[in-house]
Amino acid sequence: MPRETLNRDQIVEAAIELLDDEGVEGLSMRRLGKRLNSAATAMYWHVGSKENLVVLAADRVWGEIELLNPVRTGWRTAARALVQDTYAMVQRHPWLVPAISTYFVHGPGMARFQNHSYAVYEAAGFKGHDLDWAVNTAFTFVAGTALLDATHAAAAKAKASDPADRADEIAAQYPRLCERTAVLSGADAAELLSQSFAFGLDTILDGLEARLRGEGSAAGVPSIAGTSNAVPGSLH
């Protein structure tokens, strides 16, 4: 596809497909150009650099998340849907969490997601820094679960290999770890992940609801001047 017939949207969409297949390490202007039947120089001409392309792709996929109106559905229903949809999006694009931990991603897609996150927990009754922490707690749960998924995937690849054998030897030295490993090893991995996610999500929502009722810790979270951790999606 000649440079003049390409546009940025086409390149970003093709980059997302390549990222889904190969991850950030597998993305290159040459590979992308091959997919689009165009020269690598055309990619640079439209998006500037690989780093900028990853940022554009990462911001684009945040737009896939459906946003429920918390006033109509109730904050807890909207919060549950937001966490579930965010996790489903991250599963479709497993490169995203590593990308946003490396690149600063902030554009219309991310801003839309962040704004809605604040609207959900504001509707619940959170204010000030408690609003920031409620939003960030939910996002951190999704990001942490995605990293756990990546760890399990790596473990599955290492199965029956020397590293896996070494890991079993280390675990055998710790009785509780050894016991839980033995119990979990015979279970369906996908079902365990589903149950774990549901347990974590319910626990977070129950805890936030209890805090709103005044049943949580009486000690407030200290303000941290200049922190960026209160912004969902920013891991910097």
Side-chain angles (χ1 to χ4, degrees):
M1 188 180 295
R3 186 174 74 182
E4 59 269 18
T5 66
L6 280 175
N7 60 55
R8 176 176 282 195
D9 283 343
Q10 289 172 322
I11 293 172
V12 172
E13 288 300 325
I16 291 170
E17 293 176 3
L18 183 54
L19 285 162
D20 290 345
D21 292 340
E22 305 289 344
V24 175
E25 298 80 7
L27 176 66
S28 71
M29 297 304 190
R30 182 183 60 78
R31 285 185 176 182
L32 188 58
K34 188 174 181 180
R35 283 197 173 212
L36 291 169
N37 193 28
S38 185
T41 52
M43 309 299 108
Y44 287 107
W45 191 83
H46 283 283
V47 300
S49 66
K50 175 182 173 177
E51 177 178 342
N52 192 49
L53 180 55
V54 172
V55 169
L56 290 169
D59 187 65
R60 176 73 60 86
V61 298
W62 287 101
E64 298 175 5
I65 300 172
E66 183 180 359
L67 309 181
L68 298 185
N69 187 327
V71 177
R72 291 190 195 134
T73 66
W75 80 268
R76 183 157 176 151
T77 296
R80 180 181 296 278
L82 184 62
V83 171
Q84 291 173 330
D85 287 354
T86 303
Y87 181 52
M89 183 272 289
V90 169
Q91 286 183 307
R92 290 193 299 273
H93 309 295
W95 52 271
L96 180 62
V97 170
I100 62 177
S101 67
T102 304
Y103 304 96
F104 179 70
V105 177
H106 199 277
M110 175 64 78
R112 167 183 175 270
F113 169 79
Q114 292 171 337
N115 186 71
H116 182 71
S117 297
Y118 279 114
V120 168
Y121 295 100
E122 188 176 67
F126 288 103
K127 298 177 182 178
H129 281 306
D130 280 355
L131 174 60
D132 296 327
W133 309 147
V135 167
N136 212 40
T137 295
F139 176 78
T140 302
F141 171 65
V142 174
T145 303
L147 290 174
L148 185 61
D149 290 349
T151 300
H152 288 159
K157 287 182 180 179
K159 200 170 184 179
S161 68
D162 290 340
D165 292 341
R166 177 61 179 153
D168 289 340
E169 290 174 9
I170 294 172
Q173 301 174 46
Y174 300 92
R176 293 180 184 84
L177 177 59
C178 189
E179 177 188 356
R180 296 315 306 162
T181 299
V183 170
L184 297 174
S185 63
D188 181 84
E191 181 61 24
L192 282 178
L193 288 173
S194 176
Q195 292 176 5
S196 175
F197 184 81
F199 177 88
L201 178 53
D202 284 340
T203 300
I204 287 171
L205 295 179
D206 289 346
L208 291 174
E209 203 160 44
R211 193 172 184 90
L212 288 167
R213 294 195 300 265
E215 299 171 5
S217 172
V221 179
S223 173
I224 303 174
T227 183
S228 63
N229 287 336
V231 181
S234 175
L235 303 185
H236 300 277

